[in-house]
Amino acid sequence: MKTSQQNLHGLMSRLTLFRGMAMFCCVLLFSCSSGENENKGADAREGSATNQQNETVGDEIEDEGKGIGPITTVEVGDKIDETLAAEGKTIFENKCSACHQLTDQKIVGPGLLGVTERHKPEWIMNMVINPEEMTKKDPAAKKLLAEHLTQMTNQDISEKDARAILEFLRQNDLNNAGASN
């Protein structure tokens, strides 16, 4: 009988030792997999983004913040063209509202409140007309793509319709001045 108890005691000791070793290995794995290595990955991504920005600085200066695309000049008046803004609202609701809010709230793409204060009219129209090329070549559009992780869909919007959307966005920003601060 004594040998059975000794065997049981020995088995329990080995089981306890095994549990202790397993816990030690788990702690070791967790400590090795967190912290410094994750930061190195983030540092590498930041370095890559910095390199991309440095490579495209020339484009940013060259296009003067107007973006990449067919729109080089846009005439906007001091007052909102209500008829044009109404057309833009209809187009926005049909083609843009699934991904964009008129507030600063993100859905799929960024919220658009204050967009006419952050970007030139030409940039906005080029982004609406030419989103793929903009996210490949324009520094501000690249940054938005990196932030929102979704390529804006080309909705085949004409220059005329893009101008109407711009007017609607101008109206939205004017009506909500101060709300984006």
Side-chain angles (χ1 to χ4, degrees):
M1 180 93 175
K2 193 170 191 175
T3 57
S4 272
Q5 283 182 337
Q6 287 174 342
N7 286 342
L8 184 59
H9 180 64
L11 184 61
M12 294 296 281
S13 295
R14 281 181 267 164
L15 186 58
T16 302
L17 180 63
F18 179 76
R19 284 184 190 157
M21 293 285 288
M23 287 181 64
F24 174 76
C25 289
C26 287
V27 169
L28 186 62
L29 280 173
F30 278 110
S31 67
C32 290
S33 68
S34 64
E36 196 171 316
N37 288 339
E38 291 174 7
N39 289 338
K40 285 181 183 176
D43 291 344
R45 285 189 300 274
E46 285 177 22
S48 175
T50 302
N51 289 341
Q52 286 178 341
Q53 287 174 347
N54 289 340
E55 290 171 7
T56 59
V57 167
D59 291 341
E60 191 172 3
I61 293 168
E62 186 177 312
D63 71 17
E64 299 172 351
K66 294 182 178 183
I68 310 297
I71 309 301
T72 57
T73 306
V74 177
E75 297 288 328
V76 292
D78 292 336
K79 295 183 179 181
I80 300 296
D81 180 332
E82 298 294 332
T83 304
L84 191 58
E87 288 176 38
K89 179 179 181 184
T90 301
I91 298 163
F92 180 89
E93 288 171 348
N94 290 329
K95 295 194 173 198
C96 310
S97 64
C99 296
H100 297 283
Q101 290 284 314
L102 293 171
T103 65
D104 58 0
Q105 180 185 357
K106 173 189 173 180
I107 299 180
V108 176
L112 296 177
L113 184 62
V115 69
T116 61
E117 297 158 10
R118 291 188 302 273
H119 297 287
K120 292 183 176 184
E122 295 86 356
W123 188 94
I124 294 168
M125 288 181 65
N126 280 322
M127 189 67 186
V128 168
I129 294 170
N130 193 29
E132 292 95 351
E133 191 173 9
M134 284 283 287
T135 55
K136 288 178 185 170
K137 298 179 181 177
D138 181 78
K142 282 182 180 183
K143 184 177 175 184
L144 284 171
L145 178 59
E147 184 179 331
H148 298 279
L149 303 174
T150 303
Q151 172 63 53
M152 183 169 154
T153 305
N154 188 330
Q155 297 287 334
D156 293 320
I157 295 175
S158 68
E159 288 183 27
K160 178 183 173 286
D161 288 349
R163 178 62 183 90
I165 292 170
L166 171 65
E167 197 69 5
F168 174 62
L169 294 173
R170 289 180 64 224
Q171 181 183 56
N172 182 64
D173 286 345
L174 185 65
N175 291 342
N176 294 292
S180 64
N181 293 338

